[in-house]
Amino acid sequence: MSKKILTLIFLLLGISIYSQIVINEIDADTPGTDQLEFVELKSATPNFSLDGYVLVFYNETNTSCYYAFDLDGYTTDINGIAHFGNSLVSPTPIGLFPNNKIQNGPDIVAIYLGNESDFQFAVQPGTIATTSNLIDALAYNNTTSVPTNLMSILGVTVCSNENANGLKDSHSIQRKNDGTYEVKLPTPGLNNDGSGIPINYITVSFSQTSFNEGDSFNITFTTSQPVQNENLIMNFTLANGNFTNLDFSGGLTVMIPVGQTTTQNGIIIANDGIDEGDEEMKFVLQSLPVGYVSYNNNTIYRVYDANFATDPWGTPLNPTYNIVTPTIPLGYYDSLEGLSGVALKQELQNIIANPGVVRLHSYADIWEILRSSDRNPNNNNQVWCIYTEQPFSKLDQQNTSSIVGKWNREHIFCQSRGGFDVANGDTADGINVWLPTSAATTIDGVSDAHHIRAVSGQENSSRNNKNYGTVASSTVYNGPSGTQGSWRGDVARALFYMAVRFDGLHVVNGDPSEYLPSTTTASGNIGDLATLLTWNTSDTRDDFEMNRNNYIYTWQMNRNPFVDYPNLADYIFGANFGQQWFSTLSTQNPIENRVAVYPNPASDYLIVSGLEGSSKVEIYTITGQLVQTENFDNEIQLNLDLHAGMYLVKVTNGTESTTKKIIIK
C-alpha cells in the first residue's frame, strides 16, 4: 500500500475521531448574577466517553485561557448529549462549575484532547490559545464586538451573537444539524431540534431549603413518566464535608414501582447537643438506569446548629458597655503620658507599628480572624456585618464571584486609596506564621485586621472606594438607607488607627474624590475628617468593638488605641491637638462605670441613674438632632414621646460625659 493511501486513511480516521464531539449549545449570559450558565456537548454516537477531552474557555482581551474543565469520567447520554454548568440549571448538568464563570464575550469556548492541567488559568494571563489538539471551537458574543484575535488564532470564521434577537438573558446559542448556529430558548440536556429518545426525568423536592438540627422531613422523588418494565431503584447521599451520615437517620435507597411516578423518603436530622457550627448537606442522586436523567441534582441544603454559643455582650445595634475588659498589656501606653501634637502621634506610631513586635499575617488569614473578631454575639455561628447591621452565617463566606447573600472582607481604608495589593500565592497559614512589618510599608495595610470588617458582599460593592460623610454625593458613603448607623464610630476609629499606623495614609477634610485607575499611584488620602471626629463621639465604643480589639491583638500583637482611648483622636486629629495627653483625660470609662441608662429597648420612659450631684441628659436622633434635654440631680425618670428607632443619649456629669445608644420601640 502506498504512502499516499496510508496518509489518506489516517487523515480520514483523524477526522472521524475528531468529529465525534462538538459544542452543541452555550448559554453564557443569563438573568441576574449568572447562575444558569451551561455548555452542552454532542457526540455522533450515544453513550460516548469523554475521557481524554477538556473544555477550555478563552478570553479575547489576552487570548488566554481563563478556565478549563476536565471531561474525564463523563459520558454523553443515549441521545449523545452532555451538558456542564451551574447547579441551578435544569436538568442538572452532569458536571458543575461555579456561578458566573462563563464570560459573556466576545470570547471563545473550545474542546481539546488533553487535560485540565494542560491549561494554566489560576494566574492571569493563562495558557495562550493554540490549535494543537483542538477538536471544536465556538466564538460568541452578546454585542457587536467580535473576538477577532482568538478567531484568527483558532481558525474560527463565524461568531454567534447570543443577543441576536435582543433576548440575551433568555436565549442561548445552539448548533443546528447542518453545523451552523441559531439563537433561541435554551434546551439543556436535549437535542436542539427536539428529536431523540424521550428521557424519563427524575425531580427531587425537599419540603424546605434549610433545616434546624432535630427537624424531620420527607424527600419526594417524581418521574416525568410512569416507570416501565421494572421497578426504579435509586440510591442517594446527603453527606457533605463535616455533615456526615452520623448527623441524620433514614434510608438512602428508594423505589418507584412499575406504573407509578412518585415516592417519598423520611429523614431526621440529629441534634447531638454539640455546637459544631452550621453545616450543609448535599443531595446527590447516584448513577441511574439507562433512560432516566436527574432533573435536579447536587443540591445544597443548610442545616443550622441548634447548640450555637452566645456572648454576654450586645451587637453594635443593641450595644452593651464595660462587660468586655480591655486586655491592654501593662505599660503599653505609658510612653504617651505628657506628649502632645506631632510628638504624641509619633510615639503612638512607635507603639502600634513597632517592627520588633507587630506581626503581619496574610490576607487569606483575615477570613479566620473575622470569623472570631466579628462573630455575632447572639449566635457565634454567624458574623456581624458592618453597614447593613445584620448577621450572616459563617458558611456564607464569599468563595466565588457571586456576592448575592454572601459576606466578604471590607477594607475600611479602601485598597485603591491606600495602594494595598494582595501578594501572589497568598495563603492562610495561621496565627503562628507571620512576617515583620513597619510604618513605612503601607502595602501591609492590605491585611491589617484593625480596619477590615465582615460586610455584605453587595454592600461592599456599593461602598466601592468612596469617602465617608453625610453630604449627598456620588463619591461619599453614609451607609444603606433604613439602617441605624451603628458602625460609624467603628469606621472613624479604624481610619484614625490606619492614619497613625502607616506613614503613607492620611484622614483629610473634605471629599478627595480619588477614583484612581490601577495604574496610578494611590494618594493615601480618605475623608471626611470632620465627619469622622463627629462619628467618634456620637457612636461610642462598645463591648463588640473592644472584644474585637482584644482578639486582633492576639494575632497582630498591636491594638487600636482609639478603641482603648476614643478621645485620643481629638488630641491627634481634632480640637485638642497641641495639648498634652494624659490617660486620666480619657473621660469615657469613669462615667460609664457609674451611669446606667435603662430600659433598653425603651418605650414610654427612660431612667438615668448612678450619678451624684447635678447632671444633664440629652437625647439626639441618630443624625444629631437634639429632641429632648433635662437637668437632674442623682437620678431621673424621663417620660418619652419619640418615634420608634435608635437614639443617642448623652449624659453629662461635671466635666465628664458619655453617650449611649438606645432603641425606642
Side-chain angles (χ1 to χ4, degrees):
M1 188 178 294
S2 71
K3 290 184 178 179
K4 288 185 178 181
I5 296 176
L6 282 172
T7 301
L8 180 60
I9 291 174
F10 284 124
L11 177 62
L12 292 174
L13 181 60
I15 293 173
S16 173
I17 293 173
Y18 281 13
S19 64
Q20 282 289 337
I21 188 76
V22 295
I23 297 170
N24 199 48
E25 184 174 358
I26 183 172
D27 196 353
D29 197 350
T30 66
T33 54
D34 282 347
Q35 300 182 69
L36 296 174
E37 306 165 325
F38 70 91
V39 174
E40 181 181 87
L41 309 182
K42 184 172 178 61
S43 59
T45 57
N47 305 314
F48 180 79
S49 172
L50 298 177
D51 288 350
Y53 293 90
V54 58
L55 198 58
V56 180
F57 299 84
Y58 286 117
N59 177 274
E60 166 67 7
T61 302
N62 54 27
T63 65
S64 76
C65 166
Y66 68 86
Y67 185 58
F69 188 89
D70 205 306
L71 300 178
D72 286 351
Y74 297 105
T75 304
T76 61
D77 64 17
I78 196 169
N79 292 312
I81 297 292
H83 67 298
F84 305 83
N86 304 151
S87 62
L88 294 183
V89 175
S90 296
T92 301
I94 62 172
L96 301 177
F97 45 72
N99 295 335
N100 198 25
K101 177 56 72 173
I102 304 179
Q103 297 180 1
N104 292 338
D107 294 312
I108 280 184
V109 58
I111 306 172
Y112 283 85
L113 285 173
N115 298 293
E116 179 183 312
S117 58
D118 299 328
F119 298 87
Q120 190 284 125
F121 55 89
V123 178
Q124 289 297 299
T127 301
I128 301 299
T130 175
T131 56
S132 298
N133 295 318
L134 177 65
I135 303 301
D136 189 34
L138 168 64
Y140 67 93
N141 61 16
N142 63 2
T143 64
T144 57
S145 299
V146 174
T148 307
N149 296 324
L150 282 172
M151 291 174 68
S152 175
I153 294 172
L154 299 180
V156 178
T157 57
V158 176
C159 178
S160 299
N161 187 350
E162 190 173 342
N163 200 37
N165 302 324
L167 297 170
K168 60 184 178 60
D169 285 350
S170 57
H171 278 186
S172 67
I173 299 168
Q174 301 177 30
R175 189 178 192 274
K176 297 194 293 185
N177 292 331
D178 62 4
T180 63
Y181 287 87
E182 62 181 337
V183 178
K184 60 181 182 178
L185 291 173
T187 60
L190 300 172
N191 284 334
N192 296 333
D193 62 0
S195 65
I197 299 172
I199 302 291
N200 199 344
Y201 288 105
I202 301 169
T203 301
V204 179
S205 58
F206 283 61
S207 57
Q208 301 166 218
T209 57
S210 63
F211 302 90
N212 297 313
E213 287 185 340
D215 285 353
S216 59
F217 60 94
N218 286 328
I219 306 174
T220 302
F221 301 76
T222 305
T223 56
S224 57
Q225 305 169 40
V227 173
Q228 298 181 8
N229 300 324
E230 60 182 24
N231 297 337
L232 172 61
I233 297 175
M234 295 171 282
N235 298 308
F236 65 93
T237 61
L238 294 174
N240 179 43
N242 293 332
F243 187 83
T244 70
N245 289 347
L246 299 177
D247 291 312
F248 66 92
S249 58
L252 297 175
T253 300
V254 296
M255 182 186 72
I256 300 180
V258 172
Q260 302 297 311
T261 60
T262 188
T263 189
Q264 287 189 337
N265 188 73
I267 297 292
I268 300 175
I269 300 177
N271 182 351
D272 56 13
I274 302 172
D275 181 17
E276 300 171 307
D278 297 336
E279 297 172 320
E280 290 179 323
M281 61 180 172
K282 183 177 183 180
F283 176 87
V284 179
L285 198 58
Q286 303 299 297
S287 57
L288 295 167
V290 174
Y292 292 94
V293 171
S294 175
Y295 190 77
N296 57 326
N297 199 11
N298 298 286
T299 48
I300 299 289
Y301 298 89
R302 180 65 51 82
V303 177
Y304 293 107
D305 199 306
N307 307 286
F308 56 83
T310 61
D311 296 309
W313 55 87
T315 68
L317 198 59
N318 189 21
T320 58
Y321 303 91
N322 301 312
I323 294 175
V324 178
T325 302
T327 56
I328 305 171
L330 185 65
Y332 189 72
Y333 293 117
D334 283 0
S335 59
L336 301 179
E337 296 295 302
L339 298 182
S340 62
V342 174
L344 175 62
K345 180 180 179 182
Q346 181 59 58
E347 182 56 28
L348 188 58
Q349 185 188 75
N350 293 342
I351 296 170
I352 65 174
N354 184 343
V357 175
V358 181
R359 300 174 178 179
L360 173 67
H361 290 278
S362 73
Y363 186 46
D365 279 323
I366 293 294
W367 289 117
E368 182 178 349
I369 294 173
L370 293 180
R371 283 192 287 268
S372 290
S373 67
D374 290 24
R375 67 182 184 268
N376 177 15
N378 296 330
N379 183 338
N380 287 178
N381 293 329
Q382 302 171 339
V383 291
W384 183 265
C385 286
I386 198 171
Y387 305 144
T388 54
E389 304 173 327
Q390 63 182 148
F392 275 57
S393 174
K394 291 179 180 178
L395 285 178
D396 291 323
Q397 173 181 317
Q398 181 188 343
N399 291 317
T400 66
S401 56
S402 175
I403 60 176
V404 178
K406 303 293 183 180
W407 67 274
N408 57 25
R409 302 163 291 186
E410 157 76 342
H411 288 87
I412 303 300
F413 203 118
C414 43
Q415 287 183 261
S416 61
R417 292 180 181 274
F420 313 138
D421 209 0
V422 179
N424 287 335
D426 182 73
T427 58
D429 38 30
I431 194 171
N432 294 319
V433 178
W434 70 87
L435 294 173
T437 178
S438 71
T441 51
T442 303
I443 194 172
D444 291 352
V446 72
S447 59
D448 193 311
H450 282 301
H451 86 120
I452 304 177
R453 296 291 292 263
V455 64
S456 156
Q458 290 171 288
E459 194 59 30
N460 192 8
S461 177
S462 297
R463 187 260 162 143
N464 201 340
N465 65 350
K466 299 176 184 177
N467 296 287
Y468 295 95
T470 56
V471 299
S473 168
S474 61
T475 61
V476 173
Y477 183 77
N478 193 31
S481 61
T483 53
Q484 303 297 328
S486 64
W487 49 270
R488 291 182 177 132
D490 303 49
V491 161
R493 290 180 282 275
L495 292 180
F496 296 152
Y497 163 86
M498 293 294 284
V500 174
R501 167 68 176 85
F502 295 102
D503 289 337
L505 303 183
H506 314 278
V507 283
V508 297
N509 280 309
D511 178 7
S513 303
E514 292 143 347
Y515 284 78
L516 301 172
S518 58
T519 55
T520 304
T521 301
S523 71
N525 293 336
I526 197 167
D528 167 53
L529 175 57
T531 298
L532 297 171
L533 287 167
T534 300
W535 286 357
N536 181 48
T537 302
S538 62
D539 176 32
T540 56
R541 178 210 68 207
D542 55 28
D543 286 319
F544 182 91
E545 196 177 2
M546 181 57 77
N547 176 72
R548 193 174 192 280
N549 198 19
N550 289 346
Y551 183 75
I552 292 171
Y553 175 76
T554 66
W555 280 74
Q556 296 185 182
M557 302 306 291
N558 73 346
R559 299 182 64 82
N560 183 339
F562 302 100
V563 174
D564 292 329
Y565 296 110
N567 68 333
L568 184 58
D570 294 324
Y571 288 78
I572 294 179
F573 301 103
N576 297 113
F577 181 83
Q579 299 178 21
Q580 285 183 300
W581 162 264
F582 295 96
S583 58
T584 55
L585 296 172
S586 181
T587 61
Q588 182 168 329
N589 286 336
I591 190 172
E592 280 202 356
N593 289 336
R594 305 193 307 270
V595 70
V597 178
Y598 62 96
N600 188 14
S603 54
D604 301 326
Y605 68 91
L606 188 70
I607 295 174
V608 181
S609 65
L611 300 175
E612 295 182 359
S614 298
S615 301
K616 180 170 70 172
V617 58
E618 299 165 289
I619 302 179
Y620 294 85
T621 65
I622 198 69
T623 58
Q625 179 184 0
L626 179 65
V627 294
Q628 192 169 345
T629 181
E630 296 284 348
N631 295 313
F632 66 97
D633 289 324
N634 303 328
E635 183 175 318
I636 187 174
Q637 177 172 314
L638 287 169
N639 293 322
L640 303 176
D641 185 17
L642 301 173
H643 296 297
M646 177 177 283
Y647 291 82
L648 303 173
V649 179
K650 182 178 181 181
V651 181
T652 303
N653 179 252
T655 61
E656 298 180 273
S657 66
T658 186
T659 303
K660 296 179 178 291
K661 300 174 193 174
I662 62 165
I663 302 292
I664 303 296
K665 295 188 296 184

